[in-house]
Amino acid sequence: DILYLQPIFEAYSVHKYDTTDYFKIDPGYGTLEDFTELKDALHKRGMQLVLDGVFNHIGIRSHWFEEAMRNASSEQRNWFFIGPEYGSLGYKAWQGGGTLAELRLEDVELQKRIWNDTDSVVGTWLHNGADGWRLDVATEIGREYLEDLKKAAHHHQYGSLVVGEVSAYPRWWSEAMDGVLSFWMGWIIKSVVTGEMGGVFGGMQIQELIYKSSMEQMLRSWVVLSNHDLPRLTTVYPDIALRKFAVTLQFVVPGNPCIYYGEEIGMEGATDPYNRAPMEWEKVGQPDNEMYTHTISLVRMRRYHRALRVGDFFQLMSFGLLAFIRRTDRIDELVVVLANPTATEVNERVNIPVEDILEFTQFRDVLTGDTCRVHGATMQIAVPPHSARIMTMVHELGPNGDQYKRIWGHWETFDTVRPSFSLGNSIHATIKDSRGASHYDDELQELR
């Protein structure tokens, strides 16, 4: 679990994206001692702390920029784009606004100051106890420098995390960093929820991205539905059923759900500054807050079911459902997700093409407790409108559990069962045993 903070460094504005000093905590947020106390408290809970790195641009009140504008021969002059070609401002400003000056990351000395040197911005705060960085407008930093920054962070602190804000298609960006804040996945979810994209087509898009990148890259990324630049979910979906549906999908697709503060209690807000209002702490923990209790149940579900955290993704064929399975190396951890984005109940029979799911196995919906049984590798259960069934295998004793005794990865599996014969690997073993390793590749290709 991670606590990700938006910019905490000294800045002039309320939002703090116009940094004036990367090495000082803004007095409005506290002191270095407060930072240390927070970091220690998180680590005691087994959590990590990720900071917001705004390295594409900096506030014009920063001493770096002021020195660059004051002294044409200063080192800092090379850290910015300054000249008459930039119009009346005399410098390149981010998105044309005058308060944010773009950094010329091509300068080697600036790279040292931001990420390469031990006492760089990245290095300093990792040594101070932060566990990673979220990079603002990562796509404008460029993949080459993102790769360099990631390697530098890993050098400063082994196991540190570098993720970036990416609104583009995630492939390649998720290679340059440890992961991305996937607004793409967020828009897939929101489009399915609103009906702008069919559930089947949404599943196809997820499957295609896995094919084009990798499952590992998907699992390392964060799934973003809302943040400080987007309207809050309560504003987008006044109907709590739609809101709960969207957040449920956020917790079951590949990736890590990134919850913007206050979404779990139903805070409202359309645009800045309303979507950046202070946390309404008085609403936390209220038992009659339906959104809060639903979010807590999703957190517990994801912690308990390993497949939702690290499992592969396989889309299931359906007429109208976003249907897929998440699975690990253990068959008893498999999760079937049946999501209905339509306004009417769907009661399809869905094929479950997994050889190790046996007849009459019982599955239970984590959210409602409703159950169904597998027949002939198919599953059928009514899915209410704008909702999802999260089906997991029921721990049954007796014949229904005992039939798995020679299937790897089940609670009834005999100790003598070898995992090498699971997931179709018996084909590999048979070919290698009977004909030798030299014939393996050719024979396997013929079988395919």
Side-chain angles (χ1 to χ4, degrees):
D1 293 339
I2 290 173
L3 174 64
Y4 145 54
L5 299 178
Q6 290 179 247
I8 62 172
F9 307 123
E10 186 179 84
Y12 187 78
S13 69
V14 174
H15 55 69
K16 308 303 178 190
Y17 279 93
D18 55 343
T19 312
T20 57
D21 193 329
Y22 290 116
F23 296 95
K24 295 180 180 178
I25 293 176
D26 192 273
Y29 290 152
T31 64
L32 180 59
E33 289 72 25
D34 294 323
F35 172 87
T36 301
E37 183 179 350
L38 173 63
K39 174 261 300 182
D40 290 342
L42 289 171
H43 289 169
K44 287 180 182 178
R45 290 168 170 80
M47 299 177 66
Q48 295 182 313
L49 177 61
V50 169
L51 303 180
D52 203 330
V54 187
F55 301 142
N56 176 72
H57 45 264
I58 197 170
I60 60 171
R61 288 179 171 83
S62 70
H63 60 276
W64 288 1
F65 184 72
E66 289 178 342
E67 179 63 21
M69 293 297 286
R70 181 171 50 248
N71 184 357
S73 61
S74 67
E75 179 185 40
Q76 287 80 7
R77 186 82 170 190
N78 297 323
W79 295 0
F80 299 91
F81 302 89
I82 298 174
E85 64 269 32
Y86 298 108
S88 59
L89 289 175
Y91 60 90
K92 183 175 175 59
W94 186 62
Q95 293 192 348
T99 61
L100 301 172
E102 289 209 17
L103 289 163
R104 195 164 72 87
L105 298 176
E106 288 72 15
D107 186 84
V108 174
E109 294 304 315
L110 179 58
Q111 294 174 18
K112 291 179 180 179
R113 195 66 181 132
I114 293 181
W115 65 75
N116 270 332
D117 285 353
T118 301
D119 61 351
S120 65
V121 179
V122 170
T124 295
W125 289 102
L126 290 176
H127 296 316
N128 283 342
D131 301 290
W133 289 91
R134 173 267 189 192
L135 303 180
D136 188 51
V137 291
T139 49
E140 296 198 36
I141 295 175
R143 288 191 286 272
E144 178 181 355
Y145 297 136
L146 291 173
E147 179 79 25
D148 290 346
L149 194 156
K150 176 185 71 174
K151 290 179 179 178
H154 292 174
H155 175 75
H156 295 311
Q157 179 178 306
Y158 178 78
S160 60
L161 178 72
V162 175
V163 296
E165 178 187 25
V166 173
S167 296
Y169 196 60
R171 184 180 63 160
W172 296 344
W173 297 105
S174 52
E175 292 180 3
M177 297 172 282
D178 294 316
V180 302
L181 274 72
S182 182
F183 290 85
W184 176 87
M185 183 67 86
W187 280 108
I188 293 293
I189 291 173
K190 289 186 283 190
S191 298
V192 169
V193 170
T194 59
E196 297 169 339
M197 179 183 294
V200 177
F201 191 67
M204 292 170 61
Q205 300 306 305
I206 298 172
Q207 193 77 67
E208 182 181 32
L209 178 57
I210 295 171
Y211 174 76
K212 289 182 175 180
S213 56
S214 72
M215 192 66 208
E216 180 184 1
Q217 291 175 40
M218 297 281 284
L219 293 174
R220 292 200 313 255
S221 296
W222 299 3
V223 181
V224 179
L225 290 180
S226 62
N227 74 346
H228 58 282
D229 291 323
L230 297 170
R232 287 189 173 276
L233 295 180
T234 303
T235 302
V236 177
Y237 308 114
D239 183 349
I240 193 171
L242 292 178
R243 194 157 73 249
K244 290 169 63 177
F245 184 37
V247 177
T248 299
L249 293 179
Q250 184 184 24
F251 272 76
V252 295
V253 298
N256 303 283
C258 182
I259 304 298
Y260 186 45
Y261 76 93
E263 296 291 15
E264 73 277 20
I265 58 173
M267 284 181 60
E268 299 182 28
T271 57
D272 184 14
Y274 305 105
N275 58 347
R276 304 183 183 190
M279 179 66 175
E280 298 175 5
W281 291 105
E282 68 278 5
K283 294 183 179 180
V284 175
Q286 292 184 359
D288 59 344
N289 187 317
E290 188 176 349
M291 198 66 218
Y292 181 78
T293 56
H294 181 68
T295 304
I296 292 296
S297 68
L298 293 175
V299 171
R300 291 171 177 166
M301 173 188 73
R302 191 173 183 275
R303 284 179 177 171
Y304 185 78
H305 295 285
R306 176 169 167 257
L308 295 177
R309 302 193 306 275
V310 301
D312 286 337
F313 174 99
F314 297 97
Q315 185 183 13
L316 302 177
M317 289 183 287
S318 169
F319 285 110
L321 298 172
L322 169 55
F324 56 89
I325 60 175
R326 301 290 307 278
R327 69 169 301 177
T328 67
D329 57 326
R330 292 189 59 86
I331 194 62
D332 58 9
E333 292 181 342
L334 182 139
V335 177
V336 179
V337 177
L338 305 173
N340 177 12
T342 73
T344 59
E345 180 181 277
V346 174
N347 195 7
E348 290 184 23
R349 183 166 291 279
V350 178
N351 183 44
I352 311 294
V354 180
E355 294 82 352
D356 288 348
I357 296 295
L358 304 182
E359 178 68 15
F360 213 62
T361 298
Q362 188 177 39
F363 278 77
R364 177 182 290 117
D365 183 359
V366 175
L367 299 178
T368 67
D370 296 339
T371 62
C372 70
R373 291 191 180 274
V374 171
H375 295 290
T378 67
M379 176 183 294
Q380 182 179 22
I381 187 170
V383 186
H386 305 305
S387 69
R389 297 282 196 183
I390 318 299
M391 308 300 294
T392 60
M393 190 181 295
V394 176
H395 194 301
E396 286 190 289
L397 302 177
N400 292 326
D402 183 64
Q403 64 177 332
Y404 284 90
K405 56 185 175 292
R406 294 188 179 91
I407 301 293
W408 170 256
H410 192 272
W411 56 80
E412 292 286 3
T413 302
F414 285 166
D415 292 340
T416 55
V417 175
R418 289 182 292 168
S420 60
F421 274 74
S422 186
L423 302 179
N425 287 333
S426 58
I427 296 177
H428 303 194
T430 301
I431 293 170
K432 294 178 73 173
D433 289 346
S434 63
R435 300 190 58 185
S438 62
H439 299 281
Y440 168 66
D441 291 335
D442 293 340
E443 186 72 16
L444 184 57
Q445 189 61 41
E446 290 179 15
L447 288 172
R448 288 174 176 167

